[in-house]
Amino acid sequence: ACTEIFMKVKMQLSIIAALVLATLVACGNQDEKVARWPTNIYEKADKSSKRVTYIQKGERVKVLKEEGQYFHVQLADSKTGYVEARATADKAIVITSDDVNLMRRPSTSSGAARTAANVKKASVAFIMESTKNEEGEWIKLVGGYSKNPVFKNFDGWVKKGYGYDDSGELVSLAIQLETAILKGETSKLEELANESAPVGDAAAGRLVELQGDTQDPLDQENETAPEAEEEQADPAPDSKDTKSNSTGTTTQPQPGAAQ
C-alpha cells in the first residue's frame, strides 16, 4: 500500500514539475525586445530572405524564440518574422537627471566610462543587459549617435532605478527629439519645446543654439546700442531669418542598415 501511494505521489510531482517547466519556457518565449534603430523584419533567419516589413526605433516586439543571431518575433499587428538580435535591446529609457554616473564596468571603483560626458538629459538609451553584485543592481546602457550634434554615442554601466524613465510616451518624444535635431527640423523642435522636461528643455535649448549659429557675424559686430537706434537712419537688413526647414520625409531603411 505504501509503495502504491509513493508511486502516485511521485507521478503527481512529475506532472507538476512538467507543468512548471512548460510555464517557464512559455514565459521565456514571451520576452519583449525593442528596436535600437529602424530595422527590417525578414521572412527567415537570413537577411537575404524576403523582407516582411520593418520596425521603427523604439518599437517593441515579442520574442517567440531565438535562432542563432536572429529572434523570431511577433509585432503589434500580429505579423511575425525575424529580426537581427544585434538590432534589439531589452528596453528603451530616457535619461532624466544630470547625476547619472556612467561607469566602465558594474562597479563604482571601475572609473567613469570614456563616453560618460555624452550622457545628457533627454538622451535615449537602451538597456542591453543587467547584473547584480555586492554594490547592488546594474544595467548596461548604449545610446546616442555619432552624427547627432547633441546626443553623441555613449556606452557603460549605471546603477539600476535612478536617473531615467522608461515610460513609452517619453521614449517616443525623446526619439522624435533626436530625429529633429539630426535633421535640423526647427518646426518640430518648436513643437517639442512645448513638452515637459526633459524633452521640452532640450528642444528649447537646441533652438537657441540654432538661432545663434544662423546669425551673421558681421551683424553681431555692427549691432547698434539700444540708445543709438534712433540715430541709425538706414538699418542694415536682418539676416537672422535665413534658416531652412527639413520636410521630415520618412524613408524605409535598407536591409541590414544600422546606426
Side-chain angles (χ1 to χ4, degrees):
C2 290
T3 302
E4 185 178 350
I5 292 173
F6 175 77
M7 293 302 294
K8 287 182 178 179
V9 170
K10 184 178 180 180
M11 183 178 295
Q12 289 175 347
L13 289 174
S14 298
I15 293 172
I16 292 172
L19 289 172
V20 170
L21 179 61
T23 301
L24 290 174
V25 171
C27 291
N29 286 342
Q30 292 180 0
D31 287 343
E32 283 193 342
K33 293 289 183 180
V34 61
R36 293 173 56 195
W37 52 74
T39 189
N40 292 321
I41 302 296
Y42 300 100
E43 188 175 49
K44 301 177 181 179
D46 180 354
K47 64 181 182 181
S48 64
S49 65
K50 180 182 178 182
R51 192 189 74 172
V52 176
T53 184
Y54 72 97
I55 53 177
Q56 297 288 357
K57 180 175 182 177
E59 189 169 343
R60 297 177 183 177
V61 294
K62 181 186 293 185
V63 177
L64 302 176
K65 60 181 176 179
E66 185 175 354
E67 292 189 23
Q69 297 180 344
Y70 290 80
F71 289 127
H72 187 204
V73 298
Q74 183 178 47
L75 281 61
D77 62 3
S78 297
K79 288 182 180 178
T80 60
Y82 292 84
V83 63
E84 288 185 274
R86 70 185 184 91
T88 67
D90 293 341
K91 183 179 287 188
I93 63 173
V94 178
I95 302 299
T96 57
S97 171
D98 290 325
D99 299 325
V100 174
N101 297 316
L102 192 72
M103 312 303 291
R104 294 179 182 176
R105 293 181 293 278
S107 169
T108 53
S109 62
S110 66
R114 181 175 56 85
T115 53
N118 293 343
V119 180
K120 300 179 179 180
K121 281 185 179 180
S123 295
V124 178
F126 294 94
I127 299 176
M128 303 304 296
E129 58 179 298
S130 60
T131 189
K132 188 175 182 179
N133 56 29
E134 63 278 2
E135 294 184 20
E137 293 185 78
W138 295 80
I139 52 177
K140 184 175 183 181
L141 301 181
V142 297
Y145 182 40
S146 61
K147 295 183 180 180
N148 193 301
V150 176
F151 300 116
K152 298 291 186 181
N153 296 62
F154 58 86
D155 183 346
W157 292 83
V158 300
K159 282 289 190 72
K160 183 178 180 181
Y162 175 76
Y164 62 86
D165 190 326
D166 62 359
S167 68
E169 182 179 359
L170 182 59
V171 169
S172 176
L173 288 171
I175 291 174
Q176 292 176 51
L177 174 64
E178 278 189 339
T179 303
I181 290 175
L182 183 63
K183 294 182 177 181
E185 297 176 333
T186 54
S187 59
K188 185 63 177 179
L189 288 171
E190 289 168 354
E191 176 186 328
L192 291 170
N194 295 318
E195 298 291 341
S196 58
V199 170
D201 292 345
R206 184 54 182 167
L207 282 170
V208 171
E209 292 174 359
L210 290 175
Q211 289 167 0
D213 290 343
T214 56
Q215 185 173 13
D216 191 330
L218 291 177
D219 286 346
Q220 295 178 26
E221 293 177 4
N222 297 323
E223 282 183 342
T224 306
E227 62 272 15
E229 284 182 353
E230 293 181 359
E231 299 178 10
Q232 184 173 331
D234 208 4
D238 192 352
S239 63
K240 293 182 181 179
D241 298 325
T242 59
K243 299 188 296 295
S244 60
N245 294 332
S246 168
T247 58
T249 303
T250 301
T251 58
Q252 293 185 356
Q254 296 301 315
Q259 294 184 12

